[in-house]
Amino acid sequence: MTTAETAQDTVIRETTTEPIARISDDVNVTHGVLALAEAQPDHPVYAVRNGAGGWLDVTVTSFLEQVRAVAKGLIGLGVEPGSKVAVMSATSYSWAVVDQAIWFAGGISVPVYETSSTHQIAHLLADSQAKLVLIGDEALRTKVQSGANMAHGKNSGVEIYPIAGTADLEEIAANATNVTNSQLEAARRTAGADDVATLVYTSGTTGKPKGARITHRNLAEGAANIVPFASDILGEGESRTLLFLPLAHVLARAVQLICLHRGIQVAHTGDTATLMEDLSSFRPTWLLAVPRVFEKVYHSAAAKAEAEGKGRIFEAARATAVQYSQAVQAAADGTGSGPGLGLRAKHKLFAKLVYGKLLEKLGGEVTHMVSGASPLSPEIVHFFTGIGVPVQEGYGLTESTAPITLNIPGATRIGSVGLPVPANTVKIAEDGEVLLKGPVIFDGYHQSEAATGEAFDEEGFFRSGDLGSLDADGFLTITGRKKELIVTAGGKNVYPTPLEETVRSHALIAQTVVAGDNRPFVAALVFPDPEAVAAWAQRAGYGEELTVAEVLAHNGAGAALRAEVERAVQAANELVSQAESIREFRIIDAEISESSGHLTPSLKLIRAKVLSDYAETLEEIYG
């Protein structure tokens, strides 16, 4: 890694990790799976359910046979080099097959979240001009058809085909009338490294989603560099992971491709209701998740222990895990000597009593977990690291084909999002904005050259919109979003993300939104977690199955809940100056979710929507 410093030696403005791999201009993402098939034809790359609670291996050769058959069928349906094919499905093996099949046919995939509204579908179909939509559930057909009609009129010409299972894939393959192997190979070779592989639409937190042109180089060269960089996470030989994030999210798809190039076996879970059972049966060696998943596991474990009368034991075990991880981190940073004898003894005891049981819930063989998409509380990272499954935080956006920085074993700084992935550069602008450059940075926005021009500075760096800093060793820390910076009436700059993250880390709180722009002080809207509140109220003896509204209306329970929120707010306020602290808060009896319109499908907060919908409450606060 090389770094460029300003005149002040303590301030790092730019850092680059040197490239490990380059790909030639004629390579596309299909070459990786072909290379693996040639080297290890019997290597298992996927696993599918066997119908009896177990899993069947899918070798790379079998996978390729299915991909080629479906690709021929797509060509028979009219897919040509450059054609856009939309895919709207839950995470599944079928998604993996059609993704590669579209590329083998020379097409461009357009992922669509299955939770998208009719209006969102209409926008994506109109903007991308996709005329073929593959759906993972027949129940989606009506919504997709309505979106197509809205985008192109009743005679839209958009065709819809299901991909729910093997039979559906075979039906698509049956359209391959007279498509020869040589035609398929010619179509597969059409795209080069700098051609568009997929149009991935941004989350739309600040406006209409824009189609990011992700190239074959972005995906393939990104994978070629991250595989050796993250080898201690990805593992060797029998490495396997259970993928449950939506494959419409660029992070999940990039990771799936990385696994395919590495030969890591992937199983899919499209319904998180079966996640714990699937972890137990598939026994992954590492996992990818978003912060909300880690928060849920963390708080659920504490709530379960409390309900079983083991709350004190769990709290002692939790504190020990955090202290142990912090001591190990301090030793790695050169600021401490590591865990002392007493701490080691307690840690060893709790490893038998508590940690082992938690690890078994993850399948018993997980050695590392990767977190991305949004910030995760350092305390939660320390907890999982302390019990024996380090959480490696990374950072990226749709426009960076997801991971552009990552903490890796041996080079981890908890609280940061890691070092640049090889071949990429991170730079901090004078105003604190994080600027990015490298082979994973997208080609621009589809049909929006003006937006593309605004997205890059004069040196070709992508303007991420995030604020951050680099430490002396080149680790990046994200402090907030540039557009979300709050400037109070007194002129104080406040970054809401750290405050919100700390308040949200409380077990009873699902979401927090900080306000205060052009206001005399900072305030917060606090949205409790209904399930956690109901369990807490029952343990405390206030009643069974109480709703948030019932708890707030109950004299004792309402006061106790407000006291819990007050503690969470005070913990956040300890991180900032008095002028930046949360002076008032309101507990809101509502859920912030994707269905409520306040979260994107990738679970990012649509801040403006929340502040608009709860404007009356804010006016009451500021009175």
Side-chain angles (χ1 to χ4, degrees), residues 340-357:
L341 288 176
L343 183 55
R344 287 181 183 276
K346 284 199 296 181
H347 186 267
K348 187 175 182 179
L349 173 64
F350 287 128
K352 293 180 180 178
L353 295 178
V354 179
Y355 307 152
K357 295 176 183 177

Side-chain angles (χ1 to χ4, degrees), residues 384-405:
F384 281 107
T385 300
I387 71 171
V389 279
V391 176
Q392 312 291 162
E393 274 199 276
Y395 165 75
L397 308 96
T398 299
E399 294 89 344
S400 69
T401 324
I404 193 169
T405 71

Side-chain angles (χ1 to χ4, degrees), residues 88-256:
M88 188 177 185
S89 170
T91 296
S92 65
Y93 173 69
S94 293
W95 220 125
V97 172
V98 300
D99 208 17
Q100 283 289 328
I102 292 167
W103 290 325
F104 266 71
I108 297 171
S109 55
V110 183
V112 184
Y113 285 96
E114 60 171 348
T115 53
S116 297
S117 68
T118 301
H119 282 84
Q120 289 170 326
I121 295 168
H123 170 67
L124 265 62
L125 293 181
D127 191 68
S128 69
Q129 293 298 300
K131 290 300 182 74
L132 180 62
V133 184
L134 307 178
I135 56 173
D137 187 333
E138 193 62 40
L140 296 171
R141 183 180 292 275
T142 301
K143 188 161 60 169
V144 171
Q145 190 63 63
S146 296
N149 294 345
M150 194 180 294
H152 302 297
K154 289 191 176 180
N155 298 315
S156 64
V158 172
E159 296 184 18
I160 304 169
Y161 291 87
I163 56 165
T166 301
D168 291 330
L169 295 178
E170 289 175 350
E171 280 197 31
I172 293 175
N175 291 281
T177 309
N178 300 323
V179 178
T180 66
N181 290 336
S182 59
Q183 284 178 290
L184 176 63
E185 182 62 9
R188 185 190 71 79
R189 289 178 173 274
T190 302
D194 296 311
D195 289 313
V196 177
T198 181
L199 277 180
V200 181
Y201 282 78
T202 58
S203 57
T205 55
T206 57
K208 273 192 174 182
K210 298 187 290 289
R213 298 193 299 258
I214 305 297
T215 67
H216 287 269
R217 186 183 302 280
N218 294 152
L219 289 163
E221 195 162 305
N225 278 285
I226 203 170
V227 161
F229 180 70
S231 61
D232 288 343
I233 299 173
L234 301 176
E236 300 281 355
E238 298 298 315
S239 179
R240 57 194 176 277
T241 190
L242 183 68
L243 202 57
F244 52 88
L245 295 184
L247 281 167
H249 194 299
V250 70
L251 174 60
R253 278 178 77 216
V255 166
Q256 176 160 267

Side-chain angles (χ1 to χ4, degrees), residues 183-486:
Q183 284 178 290
L184 176 63
E185 182 62 9
R188 185 190 71 79
R189 289 178 173 274
T190 302
D194 296 311
D195 289 313
V196 177
T198 181
L199 277 180
V200 181
Y201 282 78
T202 58
S203 57
T205 55
T206 57
K208 273 192 174 182
K210 298 187 290 289
R213 298 193 299 258
I214 305 297
T215 67
H216 287 269
R217 186 183 302 280
N218 294 152
L219 289 163
E221 195 162 305
N225 278 285
I226 203 170
V227 161
F229 180 70
S231 61
D232 288 343
I233 299 173
L234 301 176
E236 300 281 355
E238 298 298 315
S239 179
R240 57 194 176 277
T241 190
L242 183 68
L243 202 57
F244 52 88
L245 295 184
L247 281 167
H249 194 299
V250 70
L251 174 60
R253 278 178 77 216
V255 166
Q256 176 160 267
L257 191 69
I258 288 165
C259 290
L260 189 57
H261 283 210
R262 174 80 171 187
I264 295 167
Q265 189 174 30
V266 175
H268 301 90
T269 293
D271 182 0
T272 54
T274 66
L275 179 57
M276 301 313 294
E277 296 172 20
D278 294 336
L279 287 169
S280 178
S281 61
F282 187 63
R283 302 180 71 83
T285 57
W286 63 276
L287 287 172
L288 169 73
V290 293
R292 192 61 186 147
V293 172
F294 293 108
E295 292 165 357
K296 277 286 189 182
V297 172
Y298 177 76
H299 293 314
S300 295
K304 186 173 185 294
E306 189 72 34
E308 294 174 351
K310 301 175 182 177
R312 288 187 179 180
I313 294 174
F314 182 85
E315 174 54 29
R318 184 206 62 79
T320 298
V322 171
Q323 291 165 14
Y324 188 87
S325 175
Q326 289 172 334
V328 171
Q329 179 73 71
D333 293 344
T335 58
S337 57
L341 288 176
L343 183 55
R344 287 181 183 276
K346 284 199 296 181
H347 186 267
K348 187 175 182 179
L349 173 64
F350 287 128
K352 293 180 180 178
L353 295 178
V354 179
Y355 307 152
K357 295 176 183 177
L358 291 175
L359 297 178
E360 196 58 37
K361 289 183 180 298
L362 297 173
E365 296 187 21
V366 172
T367 59
H368 293 87
M369 299 191 288
V370 177
S371 177
S374 59
L376 179 60
S377 163
E379 180 170 319
I380 293 178
V381 178
H382 278 300
F383 169 75
F384 281 107
T385 300
I387 71 171
V389 279
V391 176
Q392 312 291 162
E393 274 199 276
Y395 165 75
L397 308 96
T398 299
E399 294 89 344
S400 69
T401 324
I404 193 169
T405 71
L406 182 65
N407 281 290
I408 57 174
T412 293
R413 192 145 297 165
I414 293 176
S416 82
V417 291
L419 302 169
V421 170
N424 294 285
T425 298
V426 174
K427 181 179 178 180
I428 306 298
E430 290 300 321
D431 64 356
E433 184 173 11
V434 177
L435 306 177
L436 307 168
K437 183 187 281 189
V440 298
I441 299 299
F442 77 137
D443 183 55
Y445 295 114
H446 181 59
Q447 299 190 135
S448 186
E449 295 312 309
T452 300
E454 293 172 3
F456 292 88
D457 71 5
E458 60 279 359
E459 296 179 9
F461 279 89
F462 172 66
R463 306 176 193 270
S464 71
D466 288 313
L467 297 167
S469 61
L470 292 167
D471 69 16
D473 296 315
F475 286 83
L476 175 66
T477 297
I478 301 297
T479 55
R481 288 288 291 171
K482 191 174 179 180
K483 290 182 179 179
E484 294 175 353
L485 176 66
I486 291 171

Side-chain angles (χ1 to χ4, degrees), residues 32-46 57-66 68 93 260-263 265:
V33 64
L34 292 172
L36 180 65
E38 184 176 349
Q40 303 178 65
D42 296 324
H43 189 80
V45 288
Y46 289 104
D57 290 343
V58 178
T59 66
V60 64
T61 299
S62 297
F63 174 67
L64 266 177
E65 287 176 358
Q66 203 165 12
R68 285 191 169 108
Y93 173 69
L260 189 57
H261 283 210
R262 174 80 171 187
Q265 189 174 30

